[in-house]
């Protein structure tokens, strides 16, 4: 019995101490929390109220902004940009690379080489800035850019070879047309898709996939629109990019040049854009398949089709929307326009 009491007491004492300690700790935490909220909440609200209009906007917090005041000694990111550019230009010149051409040629836009170039000029953190300012960093970055340019060139050559193979195959199929029934032939529909400075490579890849599935005549990638063999374009195209014609010249002409060229060939130009003069797709008068080839223009995701280009259009159509949003993703819009045109043509034939 004495042993049992001794054990009971030995168990109760620690539990009592633990409970007391927990209660004391909680009381201390509660007191500290109350004091913290009381002493800090009011000044914070006052500070936010007073200085809310003077806080920098989100747009000014980029390290590429000369007025950037955060992170590392004020505007050190912008102040050292031209010095880093000069160092990198010198190292690239030693490797036989024209840095001015790298910065200005449309073929470089969106490539890994130009992204590496810009990351060196405009580092995004104090740590990255410290690395960029090291004496040997410009040489390392120049060598990396040289490798990325060679890799990009090799990708382009492989791309051209694959396109040539597919064209040779198509020519072989055309030559054997008399031995193949009409249901087995992939007949091109007289539709040209014109992408006016479309920003997203994923959208472009998606549209190329749609173009192959619907067998349109060609897709014209104008201005800054990403082109194969851009990896994101090829990824979303899922093998269709090599099967779609990008026009005779395969060149990144401006949208206006492309439109004028097609108009001279008798192609009906139709802009797809929401304007005061737009006709809904359901009410639009689309030329019959035997009357005239058709070219549809789809614009940038943010600003749409360029105004100068719209002036050259034979008509402007828009997709009717019934919700708060008055636009669709460009790839979705392309698919609706293509298949509505094919539905019209095939229902009449």
């Amino acid at each position: 019995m004495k042993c049992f009491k001794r054990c009971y007491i030995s168990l109760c004492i620690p539990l009592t101490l633990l409970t007391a300690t927990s209660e004391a700790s909680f009381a201390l935490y509660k007191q500290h929390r109350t004091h913290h909220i009381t002493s800090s909440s009011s000044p914070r609200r006052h500070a936010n109220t007073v200085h809310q209009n003077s806080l920098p906007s989100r747009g000014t917090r980029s390290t590429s902004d000369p007025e950037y005041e955060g992170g590392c000694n004020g505007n050190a990111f912008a102040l050292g940009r031209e010095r880093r550019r000069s160092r990198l230009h010198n190292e690239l010149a030693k490797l036989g690379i024209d840095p001015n051409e790298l910065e200005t040629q449309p073929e470089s836009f969106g490539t890994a080489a130009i992204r590496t170039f810009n990351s060196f000029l405009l580092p995004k953190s104090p740590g990255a800035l410290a690395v960029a300012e090291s004496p040997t960093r410009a040489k390392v970055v120049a060598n990396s850019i040289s490798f990325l340019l060679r890799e990009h060139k090799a990708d382009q050559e492989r791309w051209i070879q694959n396109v040539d193979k597919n064209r040779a195959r198509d020519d072989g199929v055309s030559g054997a047309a008399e031995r193949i029934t009409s249901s087995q032939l992939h007949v091109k529909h007289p539709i040209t898709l014109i992408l006016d400075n479309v920003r997203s490579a994923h959208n472009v890849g998606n549209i190329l996939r749609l173009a192959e599935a619907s067998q349109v005549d060609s897709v014209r990638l104008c201005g800054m629109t990403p082109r194969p063999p851009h990896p994101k374009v090829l990824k979303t195209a899922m093998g269709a990019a090599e099967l779609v014609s990008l026009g005779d010249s395969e060149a990144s002409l401006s949208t206006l040049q492309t439109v004028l060229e097609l108009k001279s060939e008798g192609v009906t130009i139709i802009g797809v854009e929401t304007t005061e003069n737009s006709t809904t797709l359901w009410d639009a008068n689309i030329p019959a398949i035997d009357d005239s080839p058709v070219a549809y223009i789809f614009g940038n995701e943010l600003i749409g089709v360029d105004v100068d280009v719209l002036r050259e259009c034979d008509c402007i159509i828009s997709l009717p929307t019934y919700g708060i949003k008055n636009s669709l993703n460009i790839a979705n819009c392309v698919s609706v326009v293509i298949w509505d045109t094919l539905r019209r043509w095939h229902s009449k034939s």
Side-chain angles (χ1 to χ4, degrees), residues 108-118 144-145 148-149 151-152 230-231:
S108 301
F109 297 165
T111 63
I114 198 65
R115 289 199 300 270
T116 303
F117 184 95
N118 290 330
S144 178
I145 291 173
L148 291 171
L149 288 174
E151 185 179 44
H152 179 66
H230 191 297

Side-chain angles (χ1 to χ4, degrees), residues 296-310:
Y296 291 108
I297 308 173
F298 301 89
N300 179 274
E301 294 89 339
L302 294 178
I303 62 175
V305 180
D306 186 83
V307 176
D308 292 334
V309 174
L310 288 175

Side-chain angles (χ1 to χ4, degrees), residues 11 61 80 123 131 142 146 186 254 261 265 308 311:
L11 287 172
R61 297 190 64 82
V131 172
S146 176
H186 295 288
S254 72
E261 174 187 300
E265 298 173 1
D308 292 334
R311 291 194 185 101

